[in-house]
Amino acid sequence: MFSSLATPKADPILSLSAFFKEDPRPHKIDLGIGVYRNSEGVTPIMSAVRKAMLSQAETQPTKAYIGLAGNETFNQAMTDLLLSGTASYDRASAIQTPGASGALRMLADLIASIKPNTTVWISRPSYVNHQPVMEAAGLTVREYPFFDAQTKRVDETAMLAQIAELGPDDVLLLHGCCHNPTGGDISLEAWREIANLALRNGFLPFVDIAYQGFGDGLMEDAAGLRLLADSVPQLLISTSCSKNFGLYRERTGAAIIIADSKEATTKARGRALELARGTYSMPPDHGADIVANILGNEALKAEWLDELASMNQRINRLREQLTLTFREQSDSQRFDYFSEHRGMFSVTGLDNDQIAALRNDHGVYVVGGGRVNVAGMKESDIPAVVNAFLAVNA
Ligand SMILES: Cc1ncc(COP(=O)(O)O)c(C=O)c1O
């Protein structure tokens, strides 16, 4: 049965990580894999998370099954974090999923089960898993223009011109904040225009928000999504606690459905739960229980907010320092985009030869397409990164 299978392609990001581990050079720098690291180069367990874990170990009464929608306290907390005070709050329903990845797939399956001929529009470029997940659900994927490789900024005019062509058979997938891979976020004016176009032309917006709190702050990062939630009748959301709670391996996320009436939301939720039943059945509880306990406890929540804010400040400080060092060393402002981008990543426009030279000659690891994980750097790495970039004529 299996011998006729083609040899699987290696995952480019994971195999880069393996090469990095094997590299004996002490000065090597990993700007590849998408995890936050602190100034010691560690992806930390947040202190509020550790406290909630300890309390869970001591007080959780049972590990019996919960249900298809997972932890409802967590679901409510996720809805509150993104949507409290918006016009669609009362029509929103969250379902716990295995990470935002699980939410993306659940919502893609939901769309396909209702309207199999839907086209999902993703940004060019987009998160590497958007296309495979949507296609695995049987949906057609097309791209809208997004990033201008010359300016390293979002080309909102081209993006909105394409979005204006979408209609009722289309889903528009947007990054809530901290665009992966480019780091380019869209302005509130563009979000407003997208809301107007959705109202006029009837496409369904779908916001994937995996980095809430990593850009300009928890509420600031949800501003575009909240604007949509105030304006459009229907909206899908996938959200993640991998980054902002540092719970990567616990697979903690949620799918949020907003339909045009409470009754329609209930029906859509029911269909999504049937789909979950046919795939993984119930989501893992460990991370969701931790998040629910943090967000439901004033002291732990304050501690989490503080730590998240300092992670966010660290990323933005690294961005400023990179820009300043590039200005000094290159005598130009062509790297200023680093401080304009938000979140962990920036697309640098490096080509394959430059990426190979960075790795071979300087021990600096960057993924294909030139994405750099700014949040993977130590402050002390900056001079070496800047020198290496300039040495390969970035
Ligand atoms: C834009 C985007 N969406 C979704 C995900 C998946 O997140 P999770 O680890 O919660 O499945 C990621 C992770 O890198 C991402 O960057």
Short mmCIF file of all heavy atoms in Angstrom, two decimals, residues 34 98-102 104 127 129-130 175 177-180 208-211 238-243 248 251-253 345 371, ligand 1:
data_model
loop_
_atom_site.label_atom_id
_atom_site.label_comp_id
_atom_site.label_asym_id
_atom_site.label_seq_id
_atom_site.Cartn_x
_atom_site.Cartn_y
_atom_site.Cartn_z
N GLY A 34 9.99 29.99 13.87
CA GLY A 34 9.07 31.03 14.35
C GLY A 34 8.70 30.92 15.81
O GLY A 34 7.54 30.71 16.13
N PRO A 98 -7.21 22.61 18.40
CA PRO A 98 -5.77 22.38 18.58
C PRO A 98 -4.96 23.47 17.86
O PRO A 98 -4.64 23.35 16.68
CB PRO A 98 -5.54 21.00 17.94
CG PRO A 98 -6.91 20.41 17.76
CD PRO A 98 -7.85 21.56 17.60
N GLY A 99 -4.69 24.56 18.55
CA GLY A 99 -3.97 25.70 17.99
C GLY A 99 -4.80 26.46 16.96
O GLY A 99 -5.95 26.07 16.65
N ALA A 100 -4.22 27.55 16.45
CA ALA A 100 -4.89 28.26 15.36
C ALA A 100 -4.92 27.38 14.12
O ALA A 100 -5.83 27.49 13.29
CB ALA A 100 -4.18 29.57 15.06
N SER A 101 -3.95 26.48 14.00
CA SER A 101 -3.94 25.56 12.84
C SER A 101 -5.22 24.74 12.83
O SER A 101 -5.85 24.57 11.78
CB SER A 101 -2.75 24.61 12.91
OG SER A 101 -1.55 25.32 13.05
N GLY A 102 -5.60 24.23 14.00
CA GLY A 102 -6.84 23.45 14.10
C GLY A 102 -8.05 24.30 13.75
O GLY A 102 -9.00 23.83 13.12
N LEU A 104 -8.05 26.98 11.75
CA LEU A 104 -8.03 27.24 10.30
C LEU A 104 -8.68 26.07 9.57
O LEU A 104 -9.51 26.24 8.67
CB LEU A 104 -6.59 27.43 9.81
CG LEU A 104 -5.93 28.78 10.12
CD1 LEU A 104 -4.42 28.70 9.92
CD2 LEU A 104 -6.53 29.88 9.25
N TYR A 127 1.21 33.17 5.37
CA TYR A 127 1.69 32.10 6.25
C TYR A 127 1.76 30.81 5.43
O TYR A 127 0.82 30.47 4.73
CB TYR A 127 0.72 31.99 7.43
CG TYR A 127 0.86 30.78 8.30
CD1 TYR A 127 2.11 30.36 8.76
CD2 TYR A 127 -0.26 30.06 8.70
CE1 TYR A 127 2.23 29.24 9.58
CE2 TYR A 127 -0.16 28.96 9.53
CZ TYR A 127 1.09 28.55 9.95
OH TYR A 127 1.19 27.45 10.76
N ASN A 129 1.33 27.83 5.80
CA ASN A 129 0.33 26.76 5.92
C ASN A 129 -1.07 27.16 5.45
O ASN A 129 -1.96 26.31 5.40
CB ASN A 129 0.27 26.30 7.39
CG ASN A 129 0.13 24.80 7.51
OD1 ASN A 129 0.36 24.07 6.55
ND2 ASN A 129 -0.27 24.34 8.68
N HIS A 130 -1.26 28.44 5.11
CA HIS A 130 -2.62 28.84 4.72
C HIS A 130 -3.11 28.07 3.49
O HIS A 130 -4.21 27.51 3.49
CB HIS A 130 -2.68 30.35 4.44
CG HIS A 130 -2.87 31.16 5.70
ND1 HIS A 130 -2.53 32.49 5.78
CD2 HIS A 130 -3.36 30.83 6.92
CE1 HIS A 130 -2.82 32.94 7.00
NE2 HIS A 130 -3.31 31.95 7.70
N HIS A 175 -4.60 38.61 7.86
CA HIS A 175 -3.84 38.42 9.10
C HIS A 175 -4.28 39.53 10.06
O HIS A 175 -4.21 40.71 9.70
CB HIS A 175 -2.34 38.55 8.84
CG HIS A 175 -1.79 37.48 7.96
ND1 HIS A 175 -0.70 36.73 8.31
CD2 HIS A 175 -2.18 37.02 6.74
CE1 HIS A 175 -0.43 35.85 7.35
NE2 HIS A 175 -1.31 36.02 6.37
N CYS A 177 -2.89 40.76 12.73
CA CYS A 177 -1.76 41.66 13.04
C CYS A 177 -0.48 40.89 12.81
O CYS A 177 -0.50 39.67 12.68
CB CYS A 177 -1.83 42.14 14.50
SG CYS A 177 -1.66 40.79 15.69
N CYS A 178 0.65 41.60 12.82
CA CYS A 178 1.98 40.96 12.79
C CYS A 178 2.06 39.95 11.65
O CYS A 178 2.33 38.76 11.87
CB CYS A 178 2.26 40.28 14.12
SG CYS A 178 2.07 41.33 15.55
N HIS A 179 1.84 40.42 10.45
CA HIS A 179 1.74 39.55 9.27
C HIS A 179 2.93 38.59 9.17
O HIS A 179 4.09 39.00 9.26
CB HIS A 179 1.67 40.43 8.02
CG HIS A 179 1.41 39.67 6.75
ND1 HIS A 179 2.43 39.12 6.00
CD2 HIS A 179 0.26 39.37 6.11
CE1 HIS A 179 1.91 38.51 4.94
NE2 HIS A 179 0.59 38.65 4.99
N ASN A 180 2.61 37.32 8.99
CA ASN A 180 3.63 36.29 8.79
C ASN A 180 3.59 35.86 7.33
O ASN A 180 2.56 35.37 6.89
CB ASN A 180 3.31 35.08 9.70
CG ASN A 180 4.30 33.94 9.52
OD1 ASN A 180 5.30 34.07 8.81
ND2 ASN A 180 4.01 32.81 10.14
N ASP A 208 -7.22 35.61 10.62
CA ASP A 208 -6.33 34.71 11.35
C ASP A 208 -5.45 35.58 12.24
O ASP A 208 -4.64 36.35 11.73
CB ASP A 208 -5.49 33.91 10.35
CG ASP A 208 -4.57 32.91 11.03
OD1 ASP A 208 -4.86 32.51 12.18
OD2 ASP A 208 -3.57 32.51 10.40
N ILE A 209 -5.61 35.47 13.56
CA ILE A 209 -4.83 36.33 14.46
C ILE A 209 -4.03 35.45 15.41
O ILE A 209 -4.55 34.92 16.38
CB ILE A 209 -5.73 37.39 15.16
CG1 ILE A 209 -4.92 38.29 16.10
CG2 ILE A 209 -6.92 36.79 15.88
CD1 ILE A 209 -5.54 39.65 16.37
N ALA A 210 -2.76 35.26 15.07
CA ALA A 210 -1.91 34.33 15.82
C ALA A 210 -0.92 35.05 16.73
O ALA A 210 -0.18 34.39 17.46
CB ALA A 210 -1.16 33.42 14.84
N TYR A 211 -0.90 36.40 16.68
CA TYR A 211 0.14 37.14 17.41
C TYR A 211 -0.44 38.31 18.20
O TYR A 211 0.23 39.34 18.35
CB TYR A 211 1.20 37.65 16.43
CG TYR A 211 1.86 36.54 15.64
CD1 TYR A 211 1.34 36.12 14.41
CD2 TYR A 211 2.97 35.88 16.15
CE1 TYR A 211 1.91 35.08 13.71
CE2 TYR A 211 3.56 34.83 15.44
CZ TYR A 211 3.03 34.45 14.23
OH TYR A 211 3.60 33.41 13.53
N SER A 238 -9.70 32.78 13.43
CA SER A 238 -8.88 31.74 14.07
C SER A 238 -7.89 32.46 14.97
O SER A 238 -7.30 33.46 14.58
CB SER A 238 -8.15 30.90 13.02
OG SER A 238 -7.47 31.73 12.11
N THR A 239 -7.75 31.97 16.20
CA THR A 239 -6.84 32.64 17.14
C THR A 239 -5.99 31.62 17.87
O THR A 239 -6.35 30.44 17.93
CB THR A 239 -7.63 33.56 18.11
OG1 THR A 239 -6.71 34.28 18.91
CG2 THR A 239 -8.57 32.79 19.02
N SER A 240 -4.87 32.09 18.40
CA SER A 240 -3.85 31.18 18.93
C SER A 240 -3.31 31.65 20.26
O SER A 240 -3.14 32.85 20.47
CB SER A 240 -2.69 31.13 17.92
OG SER A 240 -1.62 30.39 18.44
N CYS A 241 -3.01 30.72 21.14
CA CYS A 241 -2.29 31.06 22.39
C CYS A 241 -0.85 30.56 22.33
O CYS A 241 -0.14 30.56 23.32
CB CYS A 241 -3.01 30.45 23.59
SG CYS A 241 -4.70 31.01 23.75
N SER A 242 -0.43 30.10 21.14
CA SER A 242 0.93 29.57 21.00
C SER A 242 1.96 30.64 21.34
O SER A 242 2.91 30.38 22.09
CB SER A 242 1.17 29.08 19.58
OG SER A 242 0.27 28.04 19.27
N LYS A 243 1.77 31.84 20.80
CA LYS A 243 2.79 32.88 20.95
C LYS A 243 2.54 33.72 22.20
O LYS A 243 3.45 33.91 23.00
CB LYS A 243 2.81 33.79 19.71
CG LYS A 243 2.76 33.06 18.37
CD LYS A 243 4.01 32.27 18.12
CE LYS A 243 4.14 31.55 16.80
NZ LYS A 243 3.10 30.90 16.10
N TYR A 248 3.13 27.00 22.73
CA TYR A 248 3.29 26.39 21.39
C TYR A 248 2.90 24.91 21.35
O TYR A 248 2.05 24.49 20.59
CB TYR A 248 4.74 26.52 20.92
CG TYR A 248 5.27 27.93 20.93
CD1 TYR A 248 5.79 28.50 22.10
CD2 TYR A 248 5.26 28.71 19.78
CE1 TYR A 248 6.29 29.79 22.11
CE2 TYR A 248 5.76 30.01 19.78
CZ TYR A 248 6.27 30.54 20.95
OH TYR A 248 6.76 31.81 20.97
N ARG A 251 -0.86 23.21 21.93
CA ARG A 251 -1.87 23.26 20.88
C ARG A 251 -3.17 23.90 21.38
O ARG A 251 -4.20 23.23 21.53
CB ARG A 251 -2.13 21.86 20.27
CG ARG A 251 -0.88 21.08 19.94
CD ARG A 251 0.12 21.85 19.09
NE ARG A 251 -0.44 22.31 17.82
CZ ARG A 251 -0.40 23.58 17.43
NH1 ARG A 251 0.15 24.53 18.15
NH2 ARG A 251 -0.92 23.93 16.28
N THR A 252 -3.07 25.19 21.65
CA THR A 252 -4.18 25.92 22.28
C THR A 252 -4.64 27.06 21.39
O THR A 252 -3.88 28.01 21.15
CB THR A 252 -3.71 26.47 23.65
OG1 THR A 252 -3.11 25.39 24.38
CG2 THR A 252 -4.86 27.03 24.44
N GLY A 253 -5.85 26.96 20.89
CA GLY A 253 -6.38 28.02 20.04
C GLY A 253 -7.89 27.92 19.98
O GLY A 253 -8.50 27.09 20.67
N PHE A 345 8.30 38.75 12.59
CA PHE A 345 8.97 38.55 11.30
C PHE A 345 9.11 39.82 10.46
O PHE A 345 8.32 40.74 10.58
CB PHE A 345 8.20 37.52 10.47
CG PHE A 345 7.95 36.24 11.21
CD1 PHE A 345 6.67 35.83 11.53
CD2 PHE A 345 9.01 35.44 11.60
CE1 PHE A 345 6.44 34.65 12.22
CE2 PHE A 345 8.81 34.26 12.30
CZ PHE A 345 7.52 33.87 12.61
N ARG A 371 12.61 35.47 4.97
CA ARG A 371 11.96 35.85 6.23
C ARG A 371 12.96 35.77 7.38
O ARG A 371 13.65 34.79 7.54
CB ARG A 371 10.78 34.91 6.53
CG ARG A 371 10.00 35.34 7.75
CD ARG A 371 8.99 34.29 8.20
NE ARG A 371 9.61 33.25 9.01
CZ ARG A 371 8.94 32.29 9.64
NH1 ARG A 371 7.62 32.23 9.51
NH2 ARG A 371 9.57 31.39 10.37
C1 LIG B 1 -0.46 33.46 10.71
C2 LIG B 1 -0.45 32.20 11.49
N1 LIG B 1 -1.59 31.52 11.65
C3 LIG B 1 -1.64 30.38 12.34
C4 LIG B 1 -0.51 29.84 12.92
C5 LIG B 1 -0.62 28.53 13.65
O1 LIG B 1 -0.53 28.69 15.02
P1 LIG B 1 -0.72 27.50 16.04
O2 LIG B 1 0.64 27.17 16.56
O3 LIG B 1 -1.58 28.06 17.12
O4 LIG B 1 -1.35 26.37 15.34
C6 LIG B 1 0.70 30.50 12.79
C7 LIG B 1 1.92 29.95 13.39
O5 LIG B 1 3.03 30.24 13.08
C8 LIG B 1 0.73 31.71 12.05
O6 LIG B 1 1.87 32.39 11.87
#
